[in-house]
Amino acid sequence: MILWTFRHTKPFNPNDVCYGRLDFDVSPTFDQESSAAIEDYLKTDAKPTRLFSSPLIRAYRLAEKVSQATGLAVEKVDAIQEINFGSWEGQKLTAVPRDEMYAWLKDLRGFRFPNGESFYDVDKRVGDFLDTLDDNGEYLFVTHAGAIAALMHSRCGLPDEKFVEGEFSYTMVTRFEFKRNEDGHFFGSFTKIHDGIQMPPLKMGV
């Protein structure tokens, strides 16, 4: 199975707060970012038959443009939404409780955000959806850093200590190739196709 993923464009986040499920719109650079990513994608041999998108605005806006370029209808899927940061949503990272920040820094992927998820939770929900797809199919996701990293970590062997979630560029395009194992789960490898605007470093304040 072949899977192509687009990360969303830069969100409009003027107060620089923590966001996962916060439904930000896109930044003024949307047209430039999306066009460059789609152009590079169209230069590949991609032939997906279905286009899935996170329902969050910053992903869905890009999915609409990908739909126009490919002729594929957009199918919204909750399973490929960004991580739920729980009580951290809408706060600056420098303002979250210090004990929670230290606990996260000790276990970046395993820490469950209060009233929210851990990155392991994202691994499971994204992986569970992946496993519903056809072995010989080709698909496209327009999604988020957490969901793309979930595939890299849980299905492509990227070590947990390599925390790539905070390193991805906006509109990064990636190609995954998967095969189903005897337990019914897809595993494989990935190749980066396009880099967009690099994220600023996380301001953790510790």
Side-chain angles (χ1 to χ4, degrees):
M1 188 254 281
I2 303 297
L3 173 66
W4 303 83
T5 63
F6 277 72
R7 189 192 178 197
H8 60 79
T9 61
K10 185 178 179 181
F12 184 67
N13 181 14
N15 295 320
D16 193 25
V17 297
C18 178
Y19 65 95
R21 294 298 175 84
L22 284 183
D23 208 3
F24 289 137
D25 205 340
V26 297
S27 289
T29 52
F30 173 74
D31 285 333
Q32 174 188 350
E33 291 178 72
S34 56
S35 294
I38 292 170
E39 285 175 10
D40 277 356
Y41 166 77
L42 292 175
K43 293 174 185 175
T44 71
D45 62 352
K47 296 180 180 65
T49 58
R50 297 178 74 180
L51 166 58
F52 300 104
S53 175
S54 159
L56 298 177
I57 292 170
R58 60 188 183 271
Y60 189 71
R61 288 279 305 274
L62 177 57
E64 289 179 314
K65 289 199 69 172
V66 174
S67 174
Q68 292 171 5
T70 62
L72 297 172
V74 182
E75 302 176 56
K76 292 183 180 180
V77 175
D78 289 342
I80 60 173
Q81 291 187 80
E82 185 56 287
I83 188 171
N84 182 350
F85 285 109
S87 62
W88 289 30
E89 296 272 355
Q91 295 197 64
K92 288 183 177 293
L93 289 178
T94 53
V96 301
R98 297 298 84 190
D99 60 332
E100 294 177 9
M101 176 59 74
Y102 283 119
W104 180 47
L105 292 176
K106 288 180 180 178
D107 189 8
L108 288 170
R109 302 202 77 252
F111 175 76
R112 180 169 286 111
F113 297 92
N115 303 311
E117 295 179 295
S118 71
F119 284 100
Y120 289 156
D121 295 328
V122 182
D123 291 351
K124 184 177 188 311
R125 63 173 164 81
V126 175
D128 285 349
F129 176 66
L130 182 75
D131 290 338
T132 68
L133 303 178
D134 293 336
D135 292 59
N136 298 316
E138 185 167 344
Y139 305 96
L140 197 158
F141 289 1
V142 181
T143 182
H144 306 266
I148 297 166
L151 295 170
M152 293 180 175
H153 283 288
S154 66
R155 298 309 181 95
C156 298
L158 192 72
D160 282 350
E161 57 267 23
K162 178 69 174 171
F163 187 76
V164 294
E165 287 86 335
E167 300 176 2
F168 291 161
S169 63
Y170 298 115
T171 69
M172 182 181 77
V173 181
T174 308
R175 180 187 185 273
F176 292 84
E177 188 164 349
F178 293 113
K179 289 186 178 180
R180 198 184 301 272
N181 70 6
E182 60 185 12
D183 296 322
H185 304 302
F186 282 115
F187 289 92
S189 59
F190 63 90
T191 305
K192 189 185 296 185
I193 304 299
H194 172 83
D195 258 333
I197 296 177
Q198 193 61 44
M199 286 180 62
L202 297 176
K203 298 177 182 178
M204 297 180 179
V206 295

